[in-house]
């Protein structure tokens, strides 16, 4: 949880007690001692109730924790990742995870980051989070992926996919050639890393987070 500094604490205290204090002052000098005691009791109860709803409610803190975790994930995987790519080139950025800016985008790259796809052979759905102009994998992994007849596939565009958890597929990501996928519309993808890469869904494709849009400016 982000620390609360003295200025923020003071502002919270002022906002919390401003209205009860105003009511207290206006009523205090117009009543007798017995009524003053009753007013004071009501003020304490009201202030405690406000504090409970605003700061002592588990649901409120859970919501704030979720927001903080989401922002932290976006920073760690997003802006921090982009800055690292600006400072130094990663020597082993395989599987469409390179942090270099993909510009200009070749005309033969058929699909874009954010589009929802379905795998033609295996049937799972997912969303594109990156692409390479050709297969970019360690050589020892590249050879078993394609038979000698299919070796030319390695020179075609490849896409990194977050696989839809709703499919019950055992893998969470995939790296596939262009010919094995097709775009589908109106399907939402469920994956724990969706908020890291995307900020929303417009019905046809997912909206990239700013750090991802910097890497794929033409998608």
């Amino acid at each position: 949880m982000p620390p609360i500094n003295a200025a923020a604490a003071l502002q919270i205290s002022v906002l919390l007690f401003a209205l009860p204090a105003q009511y207290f002052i206006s009523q205090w000098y117009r009543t007798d001692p017995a009524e003053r005691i009753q007013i004071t009791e009501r003020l304490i109860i009201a202030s405690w109730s406000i504090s409970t709803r605003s700061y002592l409610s588990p649901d409120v803190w859970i919501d704030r924790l979720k927001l903080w975790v989401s922002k932290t994930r976006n920073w760690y995987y997003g802006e921090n990742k982009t800055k690292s790519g600006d400072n130094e080139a990663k020597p082993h950025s395989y599987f469409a995870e390179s942090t270099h800016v993909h510009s200009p985008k070749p005309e033969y790259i058929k699909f874009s980051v954010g589009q929802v796809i379905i795998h033609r052979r295996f049937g799972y759905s997912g969303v594109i989070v990156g692409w390479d102009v050709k297969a970019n994998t360690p050589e020892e992994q590249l050879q078993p992926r394609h038979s000698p007849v299919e070796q030319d596939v390695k020179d075609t565009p490849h896409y990194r996919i977050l696989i839809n958890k709703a499919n019950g597929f055992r893998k969470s990501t995939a790296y596939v050639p262009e010919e094995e996928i097709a775009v589908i519309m109106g399907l939402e993808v469920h994956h724990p890393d969706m908020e890291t890469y995307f900020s929303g869904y417009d019905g046809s494709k997912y909206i990239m987070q700013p750090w991802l849009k910097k890497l794929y400016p033409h998608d």
Side-chain angles (χ1 to χ4, degrees):
M1 189 67 62
I4 299 177
N5 57 34
L10 179 60
Q11 290 177 350
I12 292 173
S13 300
V14 171
L15 292 175
L16 179 62
F17 293 106
L19 290 178
Q22 182 180 8
Y23 173 80
F24 177 79
I25 293 171
S26 65
Q27 297 295 319
W28 181 266
Y29 293 102
R30 295 188 299 175
T31 58
D32 58 33
E35 291 178 333
R36 291 176 185 174
I37 294 175
Q38 294 179 354
I39 292 173
T40 302
E41 290 177 348
R42 289 197 296 269
L43 173 63
I44 294 173
I45 293 173
S47 299
W48 174 255
S49 177
I50 293 172
S51 300
T52 301
R53 291 195 304 269
S54 302
Y55 301 102
L56 300 182
S57 170
D59 293 335
V60 171
W61 284 106
I62 289 173
D63 290 341
R64 292 179 180 177
L65 179 61
K66 288 180 179 179
L67 177 61
W68 179 79
V69 170
S70 176
K71 290 182 177 179
T72 302
R73 284 169 61 88
N74 288 344
W75 172 83
Y76 181 78
Y77 290 104
E79 298 296 341
N80 191 45
K81 186 175 181 181
T82 303
K83 291 176 182 177
S84 297
D86 293 339
N87 294 333
E88 57 178 326
K90 289 187 176 182
H92 303 297
S93 298
Y94 299 121
F95 306 111
E97 291 189 303
S98 172
T99 57
H100 78 273
V101 177
H102 293 61
S103 178
K105 182 178 182 179
E107 294 183 0
Y108 56 84
I109 301 293
K110 184 177 180 181
F111 304 128
S112 300
V113 173
Q115 288 186 306
V116 179
I117 59 88
I118 186 169
H119 196 281
R120 296 179 185 273
R121 287 193 296 157
F122 300 134
Y124 63 76
S125 59
V127 59
I128 298 172
V129 294
W131 50 259
D132 291 318
V133 294
K134 63 179 181 179
N136 184 17
T137 67
E139 187 63 26
E140 63 273 15
Q141 295 186 29
L142 184 60
Q143 294 299 333
R145 294 173 69 88
H146 307 294
S147 67
V149 178
E150 300 173 324
Q151 282 302 304
D152 58 335
V153 175
K154 72 179 186 300
D155 294 323
T156 64
H158 277 60
Y159 299 83
R160 181 173 178 81
I161 309 297
L162 295 184
I163 298 177
N164 194 349
K165 289 296 184 182
N167 299 151
F169 202 68
R170 62 183 180 85
K171 295 175 61 178
S172 61
T173 63
Y175 187 65
V176 297
E178 188 171 88
E179 65 178 25
E180 293 187 358
I181 59 177
V183 170
I184 55 176
M185 306 288 285
L187 176 67
E188 294 192 46
V189 175
H190 301 281
H191 191 282
D193 291 334
M194 289 298 291
E195 290 186 1
T196 300
Y197 291 91
F198 306 107
S199 60
Y201 181 62
D202 66 6
S204 61
K205 65 181 298 186
Y206 280 88
I207 309 302
M208 287 183 278
Q209 293 283 9
W211 71 267
L212 189 58
K213 185 63 176 178
K214 290 179 182 178
L215 301 183
Y216 297 92
H218 307 297
D219 281 30

